[in-house]
Amino acid sequence: MVKLAREATTLRRVLEPVFHYFDSENQWSSEKGVAAHVLMYLQSLLAESGNPAILSGVIFLEKDLFSYYSILIISFYTLGDNSCLLLSVLVKHLDHKSVAKQPIVQINIINTATKLAQNVKQQASVAILGAISELIKHLRKSMQNSAEDSSFENDGFKLNTELQFALEMCILHLSNKV
């Protein structure tokens, strides 16, 4: 448990600036953003590192077509398959103050998590169960918001319905891995 907690903390500290970049540059969208591609690449690196090793990679993030490239270097010590931890940390990011009140960004993050969930190996892990638990918490909150704001012409209601659908799909894909 101590090793798992240490790995999760390290991974979270490495990913926080990456997620902040995705938030500030609006990179979560699957059409215009690079978040899904970057995280899928990172997930593949984490899944391949089955033996104790130093994991490092260079990821190029394109800010826009005619501007500059930001280079992110990810390097940390890994003790095993941490691809499940990546999912868990990503789901926890839904509670971050820069994302919490933005349903469109939340939907995009959850869709990214769903893509990552499709690539995770089938195994029961504490990280996957924690991610499912967090997603169910968000689904409950979303359902409460729908019950309180039941006007069908409201854009908020439509976004909340999309959020619920995204949460349900992600929970479905993750629960199939356990």
Side-chain angles (χ1 to χ4, degrees):
M1 291 295 277
V2 172
K3 286 181 184 178
L4 178 64
R6 197 173 323 145
E7 289 178 36
T9 302
T10 302
L11 187 60
R12 181 181 49 79
R13 287 182 182 159
V14 167
L15 289 175
E16 279 177 354
V18 177
F19 292 165
H20 177 69
Y21 174 83
F22 293 156
D23 295 341
S24 64
E25 299 296 328
N26 198 18
Q27 294 293 318
W28 290 109
S29 169
S30 59
E31 294 86 31
K32 296 182 267 182
V34 296
H37 300 292
V38 169
L39 294 177
M40 287 174 69
Y41 173 68
L42 181 58
Q43 183 183 37
S44 69
L45 290 176
L46 290 168
E48 289 171 6
S49 61
N51 298 322
I54 298 294
L55 170 69
S56 65
V58 177
I59 300 171
F60 294 93
L61 303 175
E62 182 178 353
K63 185 167 184 188
D64 62 56
L65 193 57
F66 301 105
S67 188
Y68 60 91
Y69 288 91
S70 299
I71 300 175
L72 171 70
I73 299 174
I74 296 178
S75 176
F76 59 95
Y77 186 75
T78 181
L79 294 171
D81 183 4
N82 291 325
S83 59
C84 298
L85 289 176
L86 174 63
L87 263 169
S88 179
V89 172
L90 179 59
V91 169
K92 290 249 186 231
H93 185 64
L94 291 170
D95 292 326
H96 192 270
K97 63 184 176 184
S98 66
V99 175
K101 301 292 182 186
Q102 297 183 24
I104 294 172
V105 175
Q106 286 182 325
I107 291 167
N108 289 332
I109 291 172
I110 293 166
N111 288 338
T112 301
T114 303
K115 287 180 184 177
L116 294 175
Q118 293 169 347
N119 295 331
V120 171
K121 285 189 261 179
Q122 188 166 355
Q123 64 182 14
S125 75
V126 175
I128 290 179
L129 293 175
I132 292 172
S133 175
E134 285 288 317
L135 289 168
I136 290 172
K137 179 185 82 171
H138 284 282
L139 182 60
R140 181 184 54 81
K141 241 191 281 188
S142 177
M143 293 174 108
Q144 285 176 338
N145 290 342
S146 289
E148 292 170 1
D149 187 29
S150 61
S151 120
F152 285 98
E153 297 173 350
N154 189 355
D155 275 347
F157 183 78
K158 182 180 177 214
L159 285 174
N160 204 20
T161 304
E162 289 179 35
L163 179 62
Q164 286 178 20
F165 179 74
L167 285 164
E168 289 170 0
M169 291 308 296
C170 193
I171 291 168
L172 174 69
H173 284 286
L174 280 175
S175 62
N176 286 334
K177 300 297 180 172
V178 177

